């Protein structure tokens, strides 16, 4: 999906605050997405609907706004937002399906594209977190999530705006393609979370071992003290302190890893929930379409029977 740059810069279609064109001295130009948001906050439905038509000029950020309005508003503004989404989705469907057919046999290019995404993400994460090295699982998770974000956004738009009447075969194919494209990255995300959990369990085992050995050396020190063996007492206490310090260091690592794993698990569950919701809505719509076709056929058959047996 095309992501526009400099979203907050004034555009030819932006509003002007301060009077009629040309703007008066002191007039404030509401440039970019900020201007559109300002107009969307109007209490007049017609003004908000007019602003909606410009929202999609601002890429994913604008698309998110339209989705939110479609999900939360009522009345004419909601209908306008949903209609805008359906039209946008139809145009995306044509582009995406054509691109999919053209590139489905070019697996090498797809691998190269994925590698470029990984390289870009790795550099971005390194720059953003230069003072703290992220775990490999976190890097993979952030990279793949970034990769599939356009698909997730389009799925959210489909769930928000498409009902049975507008569920065309074109949108159905787009819906299934989006979910299909997510499956392999989703598998990699699960593997990344599994790797993080394995790392956490290894640290937990090392921490338990260090703590257990510290306790053992403590017991040896007590036994040596009972025997009045001062050399053995000192040796046992030194060994105990070594294991105690190691356990303390491992506890810091364990707590950090536990937070990371919990975050990854929570994000994965939220992602799977979104995909499951989209898939469920799609299957419901397909079932409704099937029953609608069956009902149409039944109505047609009854009308034929009535025309044959009950016509004057």
């Amino acid at each position: 999906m095309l992501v526009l740059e400099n979203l907050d810069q004034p555009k030819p279609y932006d509003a002007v605050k301060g009077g009629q064109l040309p703007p008066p001295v002191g007039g404030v130009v509401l440039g970019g997405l900020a201007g559109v948001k300002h107009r969307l906050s109007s209490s007049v439905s017609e003004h908000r609907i007019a602003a909606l038509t410009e929202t999609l000029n601002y890429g994913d950020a604008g698309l998110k706004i339209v989705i939110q309005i479609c999900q939360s508003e009522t009345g004419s503004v909601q209908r306008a937002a949903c209609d805008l989404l359906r039209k946008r989705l139809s145009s995306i469907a044509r582009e995406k399906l054509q691109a999919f057919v053209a590139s489905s046999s070019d697996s090498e290019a797809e691998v190269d594209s994925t590698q470029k995404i990984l390289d870009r993400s790795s550099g971005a994460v390194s720059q953003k977190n230069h003072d703290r090295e992220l775990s490999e699982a976190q890097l993979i998770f952030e990279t793949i999530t970034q990769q599939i974000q356009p698909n997730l956004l389009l799925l959210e738009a489909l769930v928000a705006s498409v009902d049975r009447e507008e569920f065309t075969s074109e949108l159905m194919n787009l819906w299934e393609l989006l979910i299909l494209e997510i499956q392999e990255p989703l598998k990699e995300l699960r593997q990344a979370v599994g790797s993080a959990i394995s790392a956490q369990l290894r640290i937990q085992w090392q921490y338990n071992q260090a703590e257990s050995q510290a306790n053992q050396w403590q017991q040896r020190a007590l036994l040596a003290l009972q025997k009045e063996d001062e050399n053995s007492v000192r040796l046992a206490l030194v060994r105990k302190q070594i294991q105690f310090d190691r356990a303390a260091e491992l506890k810091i690592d364990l707590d950090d890893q536990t937070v990371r794993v919990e975050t990854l698990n929570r994000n994965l569950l939220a992602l799977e929930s979104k995909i499951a919701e989209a898939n469920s809505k799609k299957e419901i719509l397909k079932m409704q379409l099937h029953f609608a076709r069956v009902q149409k056929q039944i109505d047609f058959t009854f009308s034929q029977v009535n025309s044959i047996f009950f016509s004057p």
Side-chain angles (χ1 to χ4, degrees):
M1 175 180 294
L2 179 63
V3 179
L4 303 182
E5 296 181 354
N6 299 323
L7 299 183
D8 287 330
Q9 295 301 315
K11 304 290 191 303
Y13 41 73
D14 286 331
V16 176
K17 185 177 181 180
Q20 303 295 323
L21 291 176
V25 176
V28 179
V29 177
L30 296 178
L33 195 57
V36 175
K37 288 180 179 179
H38 178 81
R39 295 169 65 193
L40 287 172
S41 65
S42 170
S43 59
V44 182
S45 296
E46 289 75 10
H47 294 175
R48 301 183 69 202
I49 292 172
L52 268 175
T53 60
E54 301 171 11
T55 308
L56 293 182
N57 292 322
Y58 296 94
D60 288 354
L63 182 58
K64 289 178 182 178
I65 293 174
V66 180
I67 292 171
Q68 183 179 8
I69 292 174
C70 189
Q71 290 174 328
S72 59
E73 295 278 349
T74 58
S76 59
V77 177
Q78 182 197 43
R79 289 193 295 273
C82 290
D83 185 59
L84 193 63
L85 278 181
R86 285 190 289 271
K87 290 178 180 177
R88 177 62 178 145
L89 287 167
S90 294
S91 64
I92 291 174
R94 288 189 292 272
E95 297 170 6
K96 194 169 183 66
L97 293 171
Q98 289 173 357
F100 179 77
V101 171
S103 63
S104 59
S105 60
D106 191 3
S107 58
E108 183 177 349
E110 183 178 350
V111 171
D112 182 60
S113 175
T114 301
Q115 186 59 49
K116 289 179 180 178
I117 292 173
L118 286 167
D119 293 341
R120 286 201 304 270
S121 177
S122 177
V125 170
S126 176
Q127 185 177 5
K128 187 170 61 177
N129 301 277
H130 58 276
D131 59 340
R132 179 170 175 266
E133 183 181 359
L134 291 176
S135 68
E136 182 179 355
Q138 287 175 302
L139 174 59
I140 293 173
F141 198 98
E142 184 170 329
T143 300
I144 296 177
T145 301
Q146 176 187 353
Q147 179 184 350
I148 66 177
Q149 188 59 37
N151 280 21
L152 294 176
L153 190 58
L154 292 178
L155 282 174
E156 189 176 357
L158 283 162
V159 171
S161 66
V162 179
D163 52 32
R164 196 181 77 185
E165 285 70 25
E166 288 82 16
F167 193 47
T168 63
S169 59
E170 183 181 64
L171 291 181
M172 184 189 301
N173 290 336
L174 172 63
W175 204 321
E176 292 178 344
L177 175 60
L178 293 174
I179 292 177
L180 175 65
E181 289 179 340
I182 286 174
Q183 294 310 305
E184 189 60 32
L186 185 61
K187 180 180 176 182
E188 295 180 41
L189 289 178
R190 293 187 181 116
Q191 290 173 345
V193 174
S195 298
I197 293 173
S198 297
Q200 180 193 19
L201 292 175
R202 283 193 298 271
I203 296 174
Q204 178 72 62
W205 181 85
Q206 292 170 353
Y207 168 73
N208 292 341
Q209 287 291 105
E211 199 173 47
S212 175
Q213 290 180 21
N215 291 332
Q216 290 175 14
W217 284 112
Q218 174 67 21
Q219 293 299 321
R220 291 184 185 183
L222 292 175
L223 290 175
L225 185 61
Q226 291 174 1
K227 297 177 181 179
E228 299 181 351
D229 186 348
E230 294 183 1
N231 288 333
S232 296
V233 170
R234 284 195 296 270
L235 176 62
L237 290 177
V238 168
R239 294 291 180 85
K240 172 206 165 183
Q241 190 61 42
I242 292 173
Q243 293 301 324
F244 182 81
D245 292 342
R246 174 170 168 74
E249 293 176 359
L250 288 168
K251 185 63 167 62
I252 295 174
D253 291 342
L254 179 60
D255 290 343
D256 179 64
Q257 192 71 13
T258 299
V259 171
R260 294 185 183 195
V261 168
E262 289 176 352
T263 302
L264 287 173
N265 260 324
R266 187 165 54 249
N267 292 341
L268 179 60
L269 288 173
L271 180 61
E272 289 179 328
S273 177
K274 281 185 180 180
I275 296 171
E277 179 187 5
N279 207 28
S280 176
K281 176 74 179 294
K282 175 177 67 70
E283 293 304 318
I284 290 172
L285 288 174
K286 286 174 68 175
M287 188 179 301
Q288 289 176 342
L289 282 173
H290 171 72
F291 285 127
R293 285 193 294 267
V294 171
Q295 186 62 49
K296 186 176 180 180
Q297 184 62 43
I298 291 173
D299 293 342
F300 175 77
T301 302
F302 271 108
S303 66
Q304 292 292 98
V305 171
N306 288 336
S307 65
I308 293 174
F309 291 100
F310 299 103
S311 59

